[in-house]
Amino acid sequence: MTVSDLLNRLIMAVLTLMGVAVIVFCLLRIVPGDPVAMMISPSATPADIAALRAHYGLDLGLAQQFAIWFGDVLKGDFGTSISQRRDVLELIGGRLPATLELAFAALVFGVLTGGMIAVLGALARGTKLDPALDFINGLFLAVPDFVWALALVLLLGVCWPVFPLSGRIDPGLTTDFRTDFYLIESLVTFKFAAFADILAHMVMPMLALGLPLAAIVVRTLKEALAEAMVQDYVLLARLKGMSPLRLVLQEALRNAVGPTLTLTGVQFTFMIGGTVIVERIFSYPGLGNMAIDAVINRDLPLIQGIVLTFGAIFILVNILVDLIAAWLNPRNAAHG
């Protein structure tokens, strides 16, 4: 990817984010319901309601509301949450680390698990194990993340209670954290008791998000490896006496990882969106869980801030995946 290509992607990213902002802002004003109705008491007078609407700018025209809000966003001011009466950016900053840690943990689990099974499938190609792996993987592909979440709650939370059912960490262990990245900070500062507790709370939501991703990685990488294994350079390496495992890992894998990486990046953005339901099921205090509360409370500034944050994450992940794919492309490496 050239500098010009990267610049074009960044320009398109800004335009896309602006489009997301316009669409979300308009849709939230079109759907039925008045956010002020969630805040007023039954004894509020029409004057009280009007004053509250004026305070949040809801008495202005749609275009004027958007101009004021978007102008503030460009200055780094996402407004004040209607339901929580706190700065939106502060609320998002407090919840986003939990969601990012969960999503990246699920990504690592899904890629490593899917990669190992795909390599096993490539080695077992033509044997009785090959169709069995395809059948099991097909079942995993058919089950969405929220169904996995419910099944894990019943299996590992109720029938065999080995992991905590809800939350992110034991309340008694949260007093001395300086950041909201609990998992990373506890590992870096050698707080292994806290690290183990955080990881235990994360296991079930991580599995719920990571198992569908692992199934996608298996299908994509296994097909890519099958194509790579019949290429001339692999056949030549086989004639030289290279073992099947070395053929897969050393020769085929480096050329098969490209399409898998691209699809994994796309699926990762979908997985971040899937955290909304999974976090709710496990009462995990992340951005997705807060998004549901914001929708229930018709908290327009908070919803807008969360959607913009998710949109920015999606765009950044896609750009990063394109950069990595271009860097791993054998043609670019050969040209360099």
Side-chain angles (χ1 to χ4, degrees):
M1 181 180 291
T2 64
V3 176
S4 177
D5 292 335
L6 179 59
L7 184 60
N8 290 334
R9 287 300 305 269
L10 292 175
I11 293 173
M12 288 302 299
V14 172
L15 294 176
T16 301
L17 205 55
M18 289 180 62
V20 170
V22 172
I23 293 172
V24 171
F25 187 90
C26 293
L27 287 178
L28 289 177
R29 267 72 182 173
I30 293 174
V31 295
D34 186 357
V36 173
M38 305 294 295
M39 305 169 59
I40 59 175
S41 64
S43 60
T45 64
D48 295 332
I49 298 174
L52 195 58
R53 291 182 61 84
H55 175 73
Y56 287 100
L58 299 174
D59 58 333
L60 303 175
L62 188 62
Q64 192 174 358
Q65 286 186 48
F66 178 79
I68 295 173
W69 171 73
F70 196 69
D72 290 338
V73 168
L74 294 177
K75 300 174 186 176
D77 181 8
F78 281 61
T80 302
S81 167
I82 294 176
S83 60
Q84 302 192 39
R85 311 291 179 88
R86 290 174 58 191
D87 182 72
V88 168
L89 207 56
E90 178 186 338
L91 290 170
I92 292 175
R95 293 291 191 97
L96 182 59
T99 296
L100 290 179
E101 286 189 339
L102 174 60
F104 277 107
L107 174 67
V108 171
F109 168 80
V111 170
L112 291 181
T113 303
M116 288 188 293
I117 296 175
V119 169
L120 177 62
L123 294 172
R125 191 169 181 81
T127 67
K128 294 181 180 180
L129 182 60
D130 189 25
L133 287 176
D134 289 340
F135 175 75
I136 296 173
N137 195 61
L139 292 178
F140 276 68
L141 282 170
V143 180
D145 48 22
F146 69 90
V147 175
W148 279 116
L150 295 173
L152 289 167
V153 166
L154 291 175
L155 180 62
L156 300 180
V158 177
C159 297
W160 187 34
V162 291
F163 297 112
L165 271 173
S166 62
R168 186 184 181 195
I169 186 175
D170 190 302
L173 300 174
T174 60
T175 55
D176 53 353
F177 281 99
R178 296 185 177 182
T179 71
D180 292 305
F181 289 94
Y182 291 172
L183 185 69
I184 298 174
E185 183 179 340
S186 61
L187 182 61
V188 171
T189 56
F190 306 109
K191 300 173 183 176
F192 296 119
F195 178 79
D197 187 74
I198 296 166
L199 205 56
H201 281 81
M202 192 181 288
V203 166
M204 286 200 288
M206 178 190 71
L207 288 175
L209 292 169
L211 286 173
L213 177 62
I216 293 172
V217 171
V218 170
R219 183 182 64 179
T220 308
L221 185 56
K222 187 170 178 288
E223 292 176 357
L225 285 172
E227 293 178 3
M229 290 296 287
V230 297
Q231 299 300 314
D232 291 340
Y233 64 91
V234 176
L235 296 177
L236 180 60
R238 181 179 282 116
L239 291 175
K240 292 180 179 180
M242 189 174 290
S243 67
L245 182 59
R246 284 189 63 191
L247 281 174
V248 173
L249 297 180
Q250 187 172 321
E251 299 295 332
L253 185 60
R254 61 183 178 182
N255 292 305
V257 75
T260 306
L261 174 66
T262 302
L263 183 61
T264 300
V266 174
Q267 291 299 320
F268 178 63
T269 59
F270 293 152
M271 186 176 67
I272 292 178
T275 59
V276 174
I277 299 178
V278 172
E279 285 182 0
R280 193 66 171 187
I281 293 174
F282 292 103
S283 298
Y284 191 81
L287 197 59
N289 201 351
M290 188 170 67
I292 294 180
D293 290 331
V295 171
I296 293 174
N297 295 322
R298 288 281 296 169
D299 194 334
L300 302 187
L302 188 54
I303 297 172
Q304 291 162 180
I306 292 173
V307 172
L308 278 183
T309 301
F310 276 130
I313 293 173
F314 295 164
I315 293 170
L316 289 175
V317 168
N318 286 327
I319 293 176
L320 182 61
V321 168
D322 288 344
L323 289 173
I324 296 175
W327 177 62
L328 292 175
N329 192 330
R331 297 178 181 177
N332 294 339
H335 185 268

